[in-house]
Amino acid sequence: MTATWCLKTLLTFLFGSVISQSNINVQNLYTLLFTTNNYNKLIRPSRNQSVPLSVHVIFTLYGISGVDEIEQKLTATGWLEIEWTDELLSWTPESYGGLRYIYYPQGEVWKPDISLQNGFSKLEELGSKFISVFIDSNGLVNWRPFQVFESKCDIDSTYFPFDIQTCHLDFVAWSLSSKDVHITQGRKGIELSDDLQRHGEWKILFSTALNLAESHKTKVRFTIVIQRKPLYAIMNYIMPILLLSILDIFTFKIPVDTGERIGYVITVWLAYAVFLTIISDSLPNSSESIPIVSIYIMIQIFIGTVIVIISAIESGCAHLSDDESVYFLLRAIAAKNCRKPSVQSEQEISKCLDRDETCVTWKEAISALDKYLFWLFLTIFVLSTLVSLLIASLKYI
Ligand SMILES: *[C@@H]1O[C@H](CO)[C@@H](O)[C@H](O)[C@H]1NC(C)=O
């Protein structure tokens, strides 16, 4: 008896009034709030219905789940922290054993019908049935629905993979006008979660929150600015194309008479085609903003096609017999190739050309031409790459 009393006194001393709360206190409070007071969740909880209710919204971003360039969609995971004062849900803690707060299922109290205005899928109630709201004795209600938000986002991928995208998440009370509720950002606006989940392709640069007022609605706009991590695209799209283009230029280093050449050049061209099929799904493609990378790839494939055609013509010519006439142009180019040890001076070359006999064979002419074509295509490749790089980096200058 004395021992129990001593223990009770000690615990009361240690934990103050907390210890004196009992389930009966909580039950009494629930009865008062929801039965005695006849709480109706359909009624906006303001004693004066002509004063709009202030609702504060804070968004905590947990991570970016994905960005879809084709559908122009951002998928972000996070939770909203929505706070308002429910004047009909307040009590005196002292009358209930110092009970300062309770939790109640979100479906049983009045809530503003806040939803994502620029959502991608159908309009839905935030949160879910099992989520409870926190209510303190002053009637402050704190509701934290966790959600995967899919929002419409204009994605401009011209500068892919060095692009920066700005996406908005607009939250609005769908049916309530600004006469009923005033939605504003909370003190912190938008926050990045402490354990923000990193995305493989996107990095969050910064985020802002903004209060917006439309004609008869108020809304909060959370803006997320994300930057693509270019390494992935460089490794997977740009490097293979660069390497294939270099391989393609080396076609001109393969002797035309070996017969390997057409096989080689067609293989490289097929590699382009297969590669394009693989990446065409992953490249951001919309007719509004064609990425510079796509144009660059098209140019490289076009050059590749030209190289295939030239190789085909050259292979055909290589099998002509040498007494068939060599085009004048070819002969002129090949003339320089005549500088063999046996042919010493310019005069001898011109003599050689003047005589009505072929001084160069087809093979010699073609191999001379190949030298020029090698350098020509190398120059085109380097120039097109540099120009593309320059245009892509213009945004940062
Ligand atoms: C309700 O609020 C309005 C606007 O502030 C005020 O004019 C009116 O007197 C208030 N009504 C009551 C019953 O307090």
Side-chain angles (χ1 to χ4, degrees), residues 48-51:
N48 186 342
Q49 291 282 319
S50 32
V51 178

Side-chain angles (χ1 to χ4, degrees), residues 184-222:
T184 49
Q185 50 160 308
R187 263 177 301 110
K188 293 170 281 184
I190 183 167
E191 277 205 322
L192 301 182
S193 162
D194 290 335
D195 46 359
L196 185 75
Q197 297 300 299
R198 282 152 39 118
H199 189 260
E201 201 179 352
W202 295 92
K203 186 170 82 184
I204 297 162
L205 279 188
F206 61 90
S207 53
T208 55
L210 189 71
N211 293 325
L212 290 178
E214 282 177 357
S215 54
H216 55 279
K217 280 203 191 302
T218 49
K219 67 179 181 186
V220 181
R221 165 171 285 182
F222 298 110

Side-chain angles (χ1 to χ4, degrees), residues 14 26 59 79 111 163 170 180 190 198 200 222 245 263 298 309 319 347 358 391 397:
L14 282 178
V26 184
F59 182 64
W79 63 88
K111 298 190 305 313
D163 49 339
D170 292 346
D180 304 314
I190 183 167
R198 282 152 39 118
F222 298 110
S245 304
M298 278 331 291
I309 294 170
H319 290 96
Q347 288 168 336
T358 35
I391 296 172
I397 297 172

Side-chain angles (χ1 to χ4, degrees), residues 92-136:
T92 324
E94 286 68 36
S95 315
Y96 298 90
L99 187 63
R100 298 205 168 273
Y101 62 86
I102 55 167
Y103 294 100
Y104 214 68
Q106 71 163 39
E108 305 298 317
V109 294
W110 180 90
K111 298 190 305 313
D113 58 348
I114 289 182
S115 48
L116 185 63
Q117 195 183 28
N118 60 339
F120 197 81
S121 38
K122 79 178 177 30
L123 207 63
E124 273 178 340
E125 184 188 6
L126 294 183
S128 54
K129 278 191 194 124
F130 75 89
I131 293 181
S132 288
V133 295
F134 167 97
I135 307 166
D136 85 353

Side-chain angles (χ1 to χ4, degrees), residues 44-321:
R44 183 159 62 86
S46 307
R47 293 203 195 279
N48 186 342
Q49 291 282 319
S50 32
V51 178
L53 182 74
S54 285
V55 175
H56 300 290
V57 184
I58 296 170
F59 182 64
T60 306
L61 183 66
Y62 185 63
I64 299 284
S65 309
V67 176
D68 193 323
E69 291 90 356
I70 294 159
E71 292 193 309
Q72 306 265 303
K73 174 173 90 173
L74 168 83
T75 311
T77 312
W79 63 88
L80 287 176
E81 201 171 328
I82 306 170
E83 264 186 358
W84 66 93
T85 302
D86 191 322
E87 290 175 359
L88 310 176
L89 291 178
S90 57
W91 67 91
T92 324
E94 286 68 36
S95 315
Y96 298 90
L99 187 63
R100 298 205 168 273
Y101 62 86
I102 55 167
Y103 294 100
Y104 214 68
Q106 71 163 39
E108 305 298 317
V109 294
W110 180 90
K111 298 190 305 313
D113 58 348
I114 289 182
S115 48
L116 185 63
Q117 195 183 28
N118 60 339
F120 197 81
S121 38
K122 79 178 177 30
L123 207 63
E124 273 178 340
E125 184 188 6
L126 294 183
S128 54
K129 278 191 194 124
F130 75 89
I131 293 181
S132 288
V133 295
F134 167 97
I135 307 166
D136 85 353
S137 59
N138 297 321
L140 185 81
V141 184
N142 184 301
W143 175 36
R144 293 169 42 147
F146 183 93
Q147 200 105 357
V148 178
F149 296 102
E150 289 184 330
S151 70
K152 277 270 179 202
C153 177
D154 284 335
I155 292 167
D156 176 6
S157 26
T158 310
Y159 296 101
F160 174 90
F162 304 102
D163 49 339
I164 291 174
Q165 307 295 345
T166 305
C167 292
H168 305 297
L169 291 161
D170 292 346
F171 289 99
V172 66
W174 191 255
S175 13
L176 302 166
S177 79
S178 54
K179 284 198 197 101
D180 304 314
V181 293
H182 242 270
I183 300 179
T184 49
Q185 50 160 308
R187 263 177 301 110
K188 293 170 281 184
I190 183 167
E191 277 205 322
L192 301 182
S193 162
D194 290 335
D195 46 359
L196 185 75
Q197 297 300 299
R198 282 152 39 118
H199 189 260
E201 201 179 352
W202 295 92
K203 186 170 82 184
I204 297 162
L205 279 188
F206 61 90
S207 53
T208 55
L210 189 71
N211 293 325
L212 290 178
E214 282 177 357
S215 54
H216 55 279
K217 280 203 191 302
T218 49
K219 67 179 181 186
V220 181
R221 165 171 285 182
F222 298 110
T223 306
I224 304 170
V225 180
I226 50 177
Q227 182 179 36
R228 199 188 296 268
K229 297 179 187 167
L231 193 65
Y232 177 82
I234 291 175
M235 299 294 283
N236 290 286
Y237 311 142
I238 299 176
M239 282 311 285
I241 280 290
L242 279 180
L243 296 177
L244 281 178
S245 304
I246 293 170
L247 278 186
D248 217 3
I249 295 166
F250 275 86
T251 306
F252 297 113
K253 289 287 181 197
I254 302 173
V256 75
D257 56 334
T258 55
E260 301 281 328
R261 182 148 163 185
I262 275 291
Y264 175 85
V265 78
I266 286 289
T267 310
V268 174
W269 198 90
L270 277 180
Y272 268 129
V274 170
F275 181 72
L276 198 70
T277 319
I278 294 169
I279 66 163
S280 62
D281 284 344
S282 348
L283 273 186
N285 266 322
S286 71
S287 294
E288 277 166 33
S289 57
I290 296 170
I292 297 167
V293 172
S294 295
I295 298 171
Y296 177 74
I297 292 176
M298 278 331 291
I299 292 174
Q300 295 309 320
I301 289 177
F302 179 75
I303 295 174
T305 311
V306 172
I307 292 178
V308 172
I309 294 170
I310 292 177
S311 298
I313 295 172
E314 281 186 351
S315 302
C317 290
H319 290 96
L320 294 174
S321 56

